[in-house]
Amino acid sequence: MGAVWSAQGPRTTPRADSTGRLRTPMPRPTPHWPDSFPHRPGALAPRGRDGAVASTDALATRAGLDVLAEGGNAVDATVAVAFALAVVNPEAGNVGGGGFLLVRTPDGEVLAQDHRSAAPAAAHPRMFWTADGGISEDAVVGHRAVAVPGTVAGLHDAHTRLGRLAWERLVEPAIGLARGFEVRPRFLASLPPHIVEGLSRFPSSAALFLDDGGPPRPGEILRQPDLAATLMRIRDAGAAGFYRGATADGLVAEMERGGGLITHADLLGYRPAWREPIRFEYRGEVIWSMPPSSSGGVTLAAAALQLERHDLARLEWHGAEHLHLLTEAWRRAFADRNHWLGDPDHVEMPLARLVSSAYASARASTIDPRRATPSSEVGPGVGPGRRASHPPREGMHTTHASIVDSEGMSVSYTTTLNTWYGSKLVASGTGVILNNEMDDFTARPGVPNFFGLVQGEANAIAPGKRMLSAMTPTLVTRPDGRLRMVVGSPGGATIITTVHQVVSNLVDFGMSPVDAVAAPRVHHQHLPDRIDVEPEGLPDGVISSLEERGHRVRRGEEEWGDVEAVVVDEGGDLIAVADPRRGGVAAAL
Ligand code: GLY
């Protein structure tokens, strides 16, 4: 059966392939959102029964779909997509970063693999402190910002346990792409002036991604021969092709050149971890998500369970009452997240309590239906909050793919370099762009990180420790156990609220899959104490109503998130959905 594609350019209305198989019946109510919001409700999405892939890039989606068509399973396809993204979406796809895999096997078992980056052994809690009480720029740029990458170890381990096709076959498409791919608008959009400036600081990065100091031109072929050679070593030797031998030598030599901390021992010592997924019931459905070292699942559960006591479906979607409840729940969930959560191998956390209905009920009972509670009055559980003045920067940082195969194996995979192009540093001779994940730690208590998150001691830097993430790869299953949705997104702290909104749009408001993803988004993360709204995302009247309740509302300058999802309808059809915001591409077999 031929593949069915949706190819969306940035900021265009989602559109579907022209074949009749795409026609999705839409008995559900069309949501109303401002006419000026650029993404229109009611679009269609590719539909199939033999597999579906949604990722942020057409070439990566193609790599995954080809694997499925050849009889590979969803984990095989994820490996192919992940390596392809490392080449064609180098701002976030990676071999030099880390991520999280949530896998549902055909018999319904859900497995969570954590291959988050880790602090090098020489890291210490005050390594980024400045004399004036802040944190230094090298938490985000250059050699010291780099944490030990986990991606290759995680993908190889997942494939060893769950894959079907040969590893070599899955790495091969990325090698071809690294030898050269055509520069398209999607890639150029990742090179705004401040990113060009960051990459320009490092000759190895400028030589790879820039052309005479600026972005390459559309239609040029971007060649990454050193990355192709690194990928060949990974193809031939598996994880050892990255953590040992020439690649490792190149990474460590780069660290030594610029005062970075990663050693051969750090690379050799890195291991992915299989963890118990976060599982909670929500209106009869079961939601599965990522446990720490990501905060995604816990925060999602904590917010959703507070809202379960309200019949959201009876509220006007994106009316002031709905948004008040949503953002008050997030305020409380993020207060707990920021205080309690960290790497489970280093800190004790009251996880069972934080994701329990009883605790959510207690938290929700403090929500005043008429007034915003200032974040200064919402601490973790009970206690004072802290103030932050640093504005979170919106973004698409990170990348995500959702994949389902013909046997029902499903993967939700989110991966990151942290900010776009991570540390902006390519390790010379390897083609590997290195993460700046060290900034996801609490570099200094009380001082916000890049995403404006004010985090606690639980997330302090320590040798070998994984920094807390917001990545939220998520699955939804129906009460009878059948899969309903695979979903995830980039976007730093906004990942959690983005995934929550998409799930709620689908489960609470019965939106079609494409509407659930395209709909305007809002965000609150406890501190700074305000609701962020996507540009044109809310009518003035709703903003005024929120302000009358005591909320501070900021209209963002950019959209955020880049949701990639696969939804399974009642009849078992797979509906692949790519976010229209940046040009993700979904396809089904
Ligand atoms: N680097 C963003 C996150 O993991 O939350």
Side-chain angles (χ1 to χ4, degrees):
M1 191 174 293
V4 182
W5 289 77
S6 85
Q8 303 158 1
R11 291 180 178 275
T12 61
T13 301
R15 63 185 172 81
D17 187 279
S18 58
T19 81
R21 293 189 68 251
L22 293 184
R23 299 294 165 240
T24 310
M26 292 273 181
R28 293 166 172 157
T30 300
H32 297 286
W33 59 65
D35 286 342
S36 48
F37 190 66
H39 312 299
R40 301 267 41 84
L44 305 181
R47 178 181 278 262
R49 290 192 79 88
D50 295 330
V53 181
S55 89
T56 48
D57 192 279
L59 296 169
T61 295
R62 163 58 73 194
L65 207 70
D66 287 349
V67 166
L68 293 181
E70 258 177 52
N73 67 21
V75 167
D76 293 325
T78 302
V79 172
V81 168
F83 283 118
L85 286 172
V87 179
V88 298
N89 283 182
E91 75 275 18
N94 65 83
V95 292
F100 297 93
L101 274 164
L102 199 62
V103 183
R104 183 173 186 269
T105 64
D107 60 8
E109 190 184 4
V110 179
L111 309 167
Q113 193 220 51
D114 170 343
H115 56 261
R116 180 69 160 161
S117 314
H124 56 89
R126 298 182 174 207
M127 63 184 279
F128 297 119
W129 287 28
T130 55
D132 64 357
I135 50 181
S136 63
E137 190 200 42
D138 57 1
V140 281
V141 183
H143 297 74
R144 278 161 52 86
V146 185
V148 183
T151 296
V152 179
L155 294 174
H156 191 252
D157 185 35
H159 176 263
T160 303
R161 291 176 192 232
L162 298 161
R164 182 186 286 159
L165 297 189
W167 170 257
E168 295 80 355
R169 156 70 187 86
L170 307 175
V171 186
E172 203 62 52
I175 296 171
L177 291 166
R179 291 191 178 117
F181 75 92
E182 188 182 321
V183 169
R184 293 156 300 141
R186 169 71 178 68
F187 173 73
L188 290 171
S190 76
L191 290 169
H194 71 282
I195 298 287
V196 169
E197 189 278 320
L199 293 169
S200 304
R201 297 192 199 186
F202 303 102
S204 53
S205 310
L208 187 53
F209 295 119
L210 305 181
D211 191 358
D212 274 341
R217 279 178 267 302
E220 274 183 36
I221 303 298
L222 184 76
R223 299 181 204 285
Q224 303 178 71
D226 289 343
L227 181 59
T230 292
L231 288 166
M232 285 193 280
R233 289 190 286 274
I234 292 168
R235 175 195 64 192
D236 297 340
F242 185 86
Y243 295 92
R244 297 171 184 268
T247 314
D249 291 345
L251 298 177
V252 172
E254 184 62 59
M255 290 291 109
E256 288 169 353
R257 253 192 304 280
L261 301 185
I262 297 172
T263 63
H264 278 291
D266 288 320
L267 293 172
L268 287 171
Y270 186 85
R271 295 284 178 278
W274 293 84
R275 306 197 190 277
E276 194 67 32
I278 297 295
R279 176 196 183 281
F280 64 100
E281 291 180 24
Y282 182 72
R283 303 198 201 281
E285 318 259 333
V286 180
I287 299 180
W288 309 80
S289 195
M290 193 51 63
S293 60
S294 181
S295 63
V298 174
T299 315
L300 175 66
L305 292 172
Q306 288 178 62
L307 295 171
E308 204 181 17
R309 59 198 252 143
H310 297 278
D311 190 359
L312 295 185
R314 290 173 59 88
L315 302 181
E316 182 194 351
W317 178 81
H318 268 199
E321 195 178 347
H322 171 218
L323 294 172
H324 174 73
L325 289 174
L326 198 57
T327 54
E328 287 299 309
W330 290 336
R331 186 196 301 280
R332 287 156 177 78
F334 270 87
D336 282 327
R337 173 221 185 264
N338 297 342
H339 177 80
W340 290 111
L341 301 186
D343 179 343
D345 298 332
H346 287 251
V347 292
E348 300 254 335
M349 294 167 277
L351 285 191
R353 177 160 166 263
L354 290 174
V355 302
S356 71
S357 294
Y359 181 66
S361 250
R363 283 302 247 168
S365 69
T366 67
I367 297 176
D368 180 334
R370 291 167 305 281
R371 295 292 305 161
T373 317
S375 287
S376 56
E377 293 170 18
V378 180
V382 177
R386 275 195 295 254
R387 292 187 186 284
S389 55
H390 177 87
R393 277 160 275 183
E394 299 141 7
M396 316 279 190
H397 313 281
T398 304
T399 186
H400 180 85
S402 290
I403 298 173
V404 180
D405 67 26
S406 61
E407 292 166 21
M409 181 180 265
S410 326
V411 178
S412 186
Y413 172 60
T414 315
T415 185
T416 195
L417 289 165
N418 194 23
T419 62
W420 271 0
Y421 294 90
S423 61
K424 313 291 184 285
L425 171 67
V426 170
S428 298
T430 69
V432 175
I433 182 105
L434 294 164
N435 69 80
N436 59 353
E437 279 304 340
M438 292 302 287
D439 187 63
D440 268 347
F441 279 116
T442 309
R444 188 165 197 159
V447 180
N449 74 357
F450 180 89
F451 296 105
L453 289 164
V454 181
Q455 308 179 97
E457 290 291 345
N459 189 33
I461 298 173
K465 189 175 173 183
R466 294 167 197 222
M467 61 295 295
L468 189 63
S469 171
M471 290 189 269
T472 315
T474 295
L475 302 166
V476 182
T477 53
R478 297 177 188 274
D480 63 8
R482 287 178 304 144
L483 182 69
R484 180 158 186 199
M485 186 185 215
V486 184
V487 63
S489 176
T494 65
I495 293 174
I496 301 168
T497 55
T498 293
V499 169
H500 185 181
Q501 285 169 92
V502 174
V503 170
S504 177
N505 287 345
L506 191 84
V507 172
D508 292 311
F509 293 96
M511 283 189 198
S512 74
V514 279
D515 290 351
V517 169
R521 296 173 187 146
V522 298
H523 176 71
H524 198 300
Q525 60 183 39
H526 183 247
L527 292 175
D529 187 350
R530 63 153 189 257
I531 300 174
D532 286 287
V533 181
E534 283 191 309
E536 309 295 339
L538 284 183
D540 291 345
V542 174
I543 291 180
S544 302
S545 300
L546 289 166
E547 287 169 345
E548 280 160 21
R549 286 169 198 250
H551 292 281
R552 190 155 73 90
V553 182
R554 187 185 75 144
R555 294 169 202 264
E557 286 163 16
E558 296 169 17
E559 299 168 338
W560 60 80
D562 196 355
V563 170
E564 309 301 328
V566 178
V567 176
V568 190
D569 76 4
E570 273 289 358
D573 276 7
L574 305 173
I575 303 164
V577 188
D579 201 318
R581 286 166 177 74
R582 269 201 86 214
V585 174
L589 283 174

